[in-house]
Amino acid sequence: QVQLVESGGGLVQAGGSLRLSCTASGRTFSNYAMSWFRQAPGKEREFVTAVNAIGELYYATSVKGRFTISRDNAQNTLHLQMNSLKFEDTAVYYCAASVRFKYTIPTRETDFASWGQGTQVTVSS
């Protein structure tokens, strides 16, 4: 399976921006559908956005228009540009990879076999 490492989290004021990165190793990155999930304190992990192996994108309603997912297959890296951050975006953000659903838009946790360790994003109000 592919190994994933997230970076770029931190503390930001509401209205600010952050850019998360997820670096993959161990397998051919371009063969995977990739996604971002997040888990806020006391809540279940939720889907944020995904990009599949042919570049199709999908966003959760809560982040559409504010977040942008992108992938750089040459650098084996997934990015999440987060703008206009809100307090409710505070969470641990995880990247995940799926080879099984690489040509669809997987959105369920069970669709993904590989996960990173997560990076904390804290938005102050």
Side-chain angles (χ1 to χ4, degrees):
Q1 294 183 359
V2 66
Q3 287 78 48
L4 305 172
V5 178
E6 301 96 335
S7 61
L11 174 64
V12 63
Q13 288 188 335
S17 299
L18 275 178
R19 181 178 169 88
L20 304 183
S21 297
C22 172
T23 301
S25 62
R27 289 291 187 269
T28 304
F29 178 71
S30 60
N31 284 343
Y32 288 80
M34 299 295 298
S35 75
W36 290 96
F37 284 75
R38 67 186 180 186
Q39 186 167 22
K43 295 187 177 182
E44 295 185 351
R45 189 153 54 183
E46 65 174 0
F47 170 83
V48 175
T49 180
V51 55
N52 65 13
I54 54 175
E56 296 174 322
L57 311 175
Y58 186 74
Y59 295 92
T61 301
S62 59
V63 306
K64 197 169 186 178
R66 301 188 297 122
F67 290 11
T68 302
I69 188 172
S70 62
R71 66 188 302 163
D72 183 341
N73 290 336
Q75 297 296 323
N76 292 344
T77 305
L78 178 74
H79 298 289
L80 182 63
Q81 179 66 44
M82 304 185 294
N83 298 328
S84 302
L85 282 162
K86 304 176 181 180
F87 175 75
E88 50 265 39
D89 294 319
T90 296
V92 177
Y93 283 71
Y94 300 89
C95 68
S98 172
V99 67
R100 181 180 177 190
F101 298 99
K102 61 182 178 180
Y103 295 131
T104 63
I105 301 289
T107 62
R108 303 170 300 179
E109 286 190 64
T110 53
D111 294 338
F112 297 87
S114 300
W115 293 83
Q117 83 290 350
T119 186
Q120 177 71 46
V121 172
T122 302
V123 183
S124 61
S125 58

